[in-house]
Amino acid sequence: MSKKSEEKSVVYSALEVARLCGVVNQTSINWIKNGHLKAFKTPGGQFRVYPDDLVDFMRLRDMRVPEELLAQCTQKTDENRKIKILFVDDDESFNNVSVSLIQKSLPDAEIYQAFDGFEAGSMAVTKMPDCLILDLSLPGVDGIKICRTINTSDALGKPEIIIVTAMEDEETEKTCRDLGVKYYFRKPVFIPELVTAVKELMGVEQ
């Protein structure tokens, strides 16, 4: 096995995360279960955390990052790494215009686009976005189901979710907020407000 392959295979248990962060084991487990720290589960049901994700987590909270942890990072060693955003809406014109305006306001962000629920799910797994901007009325898999999947599964990396929808019923909004959605915008959307929401969730200076 090459050195590069060995580096990519490094993961930390919840106990090791606790040691690196200077907390008790239960605290690191709570971070993971509450969606603050990205993790995945082994076939035996144990949490595992990639070094890159742990570094991101610690930097967002102004925690000191040990040199031994930095040494294991493979892709995100830059403290100013690009924020990854996935914009999901089946209205192609609205999707394109919104992404163009967001990119102008956040020129260093990596922004991906999806136009239906199936594509959104696939890209969420492969791209592991930090922020998901999501329409609810989507062909394929609807937005509510995507929110539920993110809320209950580690496979999509627990991104922050912003809803952008034409749906106006309060029950739908309540459902989304119960699933961890912090921002819920009704169309038509004032894009600068959307950008402000992304910056707030990602800890970017306004």
Side-chain angles (χ1 to χ4, degrees):
M1 181 182 291
S2 67
K3 182 178 179 182
K4 187 173 182 180
S5 297
E6 289 176 350
E7 289 176 345
K8 286 188 175 181
S9 67
V10 171
V11 292
Y12 294 110
S13 67
L15 183 60
E16 290 169 323
V17 167
R19 177 182 64 80
L20 289 165
C21 294
V23 299
V24 298
N25 189 37
Q26 189 58 48
T27 298
S28 64
I29 292 173
N30 289 340
W31 286 339
I32 294 168
K33 287 185 174 180
N34 292 328
H36 302 304
L37 175 60
K38 292 182 180 180
F40 66 94
K41 277 187 177 181
T42 66
Q46 300 298 309
F47 290 119
R48 293 292 183 267
V49 177
Y50 286 112
D52 304 290
D53 292 325
L54 181 54
V55 167
D56 290 344
F57 172 85
M58 295 177 74
R59 281 175 170 161
L60 281 174
R61 287 155 182 80
D62 295 322
M63 299 168 70
R64 186 186 70 81
V65 182
E67 289 297 325
E68 66 177 285
L69 174 57
L70 287 174
Q72 299 299 336
C73 291
T74 59
Q75 297 178 345
K76 306 176 190 175
T77 54
D78 183 358
E79 188 169 326
N80 298 311
R81 76 173 184 86
K82 292 184 177 181
I83 294 168
K84 293 188 289 184
I85 301 169
L86 175 58
F87 196 102
V88 186
D89 198 299
D90 62 325
D91 183 332
E92 186 171 345
S93 295
F94 174 70
N95 194 323
N96 289 334
V97 169
S98 298
V99 166
S100 177
L101 292 174
I102 293 171
Q103 189 75 78
K104 287 180 181 179
S105 297
L106 293 165
D108 294 328
E110 292 181 2
I111 306 181
Y112 308 99
Q113 293 174 267
F115 299 93
D116 62 55
F118 290 121
E119 186 178 23
S122 175
M123 292 190 72
V125 171
T126 59
K127 302 300 184 182
M128 296 291 280
D130 303 293
C131 182
L132 177 64
I133 302 173
L134 180 67
D135 184 22
L136 293 178
S137 301
L138 295 168
V141 180
D142 68 77
I144 293 289
K145 186 171 182 179
I146 292 174
C147 287
R148 286 200 175 98
T149 300
I150 289 172
N151 190 55
T152 59
S153 171
D154 297 317
L156 305 184
K158 302 290 187 183
E160 298 287 357
I161 305 173
I162 297 174
I163 297 297
V164 177
T165 181
M167 299 175 70
E168 298 189 4
D169 62 292
E170 293 183 0
E171 187 61 33
T172 298
E173 180 175 354
K174 181 181 183 303
T175 298
C176 289
R177 293 197 181 279
D178 288 345
L179 292 170
V181 173
K182 294 184 178 66
Y183 283 95
Y184 189 100
F185 292 100
R186 290 182 171 86
K187 296 177 180 178
V189 182
F190 185 49
I191 300 300
E193 291 184 359
L194 188 57
V195 172
T196 297
V198 172
K199 288 181 176 180
E200 192 276 327
L201 290 175
M202 297 295 99
V204 176
E205 291 185 6
Q206 302 287 347

